[in-house]
Every structure is written in structure tokens, then in C-alpha cells.
Amino acid sequence: MWDIIAVDISGRHRIKGGYYMVCAAAALTVSADHIEKVKQVKILPVWLKKAPGLLDIVQLIEDTADQLSFEGTIVAEKGDMYNQPLWVPESMFSQAFKYQESMAERRAIELAHHISLSARNLLIKELNIEA
């Protein structure tokens, strides 16, 4: 078993003149094909006036992961990093980073996706961002 921080960002499309994104970071212990334990979850919403670039995405993920009192490798989908080769985002993060490899890492990212999407939808509704 090993410790990871699965991340996902929802909302990288334009609404009301900007980009309202929510990043979810889930601190987990995983085995090869299962999530063994959820240790902590954090979300971080952000509003950008311009379309997010890779540096914006890396910063949002790091800011969200920094809220966790947990050490682990950050795991994300390649698409979240604009399909860049691993060495590009890996060189931008201050902690260990990798793309998903195992079934458990895939499931962990799906969990983070459900959290980020649900949180974003709730915040959009409650804050009356999209009418």
C-alpha cells in the first residue's frame, strides 16, 4: 500500500466572463486496485478572468494539496496537465507528481472528480454565479 493525493479540477470552461474552478484533493492510502483508506479531503475554489494555463493549474493543485496534513505523491490525469509529457508538470511541482498508473489511482481520481464537480455545482448554485 502507498499514500497518494488524488486531484481533480472542475470548471475549466468560461462562465460569466471568467473561469470558476474548484480543485479537490483527496489524501488516500491505496493498494494496486483499491482505495484502502480516505484520510482527508480538501477543496479550493478559484475565479480566474483569463483561461487557465498549465502554471495556473499547477498552482491551484499545489495550493489545494498544501491544505492537507498529509504527505503523498500527487496523482492527476494527463488531460488535467494539457496532455504534456510527464517531465513538464513534474518539473513544475514542489512535491512528487505522477500520472495515474494503477486501477486504484484511477478510482482515486474519479473520487476527486466527484468531489470537485459536486462542490462546484453547489457553490455555483449557492453563490448565484450562473443563472
Side-chain angles (χ1 to χ4, degrees):
M1 291 192 287
W2 61 96
D3 294 332
I4 64 169
I5 298 171
V7 297
D8 184 75
I9 299 172
S10 292
R12 289 201 280 182
H13 53 277
R14 192 170 181 83
I15 61 168
K16 288 201 172 183
Y19 298 82
Y20 188 67
M21 302 183 300
V22 174
C23 180
L28 310 159
T29 299
V30 297
S31 60
D33 59 354
H34 286 87
I35 296 171
E36 300 295 335
K37 185 174 185 178
V38 177
K39 296 186 174 187
Q40 199 175 8
V41 173
K42 294 288 183 178
I43 64 163
L44 183 63
V46 67
W47 179 267
L48 295 178
K49 295 265 185 204
K50 63 177 181 60
L54 183 58
L55 188 57
D56 298 313
I57 298 303
V58 169
Q59 188 64 58
L60 178 56
I61 290 171
E62 283 220 322
D63 290 348
T64 309
D66 284 347
Q67 294 181 18
L68 299 167
S69 55
F70 183 83
E71 295 294 321
T73 301
I74 294 175
V75 180
E77 291 180 323
K78 191 172 184 180
D80 281 345
M81 299 293 126
Y82 299 101
N83 294 310
Q84 292 292 320
L86 178 61
W87 68 267
V88 174
E90 193 175 45
S91 68
M92 299 171 81
F93 279 94
S94 63
Q95 58 191 100
F97 173 83
K98 65 182 263 187
Y99 291 135
Q100 68 188 36
E101 295 173 351
S102 69
M103 181 61 76
E105 291 168 349
R106 174 74 222 146
R107 289 179 174 155
I109 290 172
E110 286 175 1
L111 173 66
H113 171 73
H114 289 295
I115 294 166
S116 68
L117 181 61
S118 298
R120 182 177 183 272
N121 288 341
L122 177 64
L123 289 168
I124 283 175
K125 182 178 178 184
E126 293 300 315
L127 298 174
N128 227 3
I129 292 175
E130 193 172 67

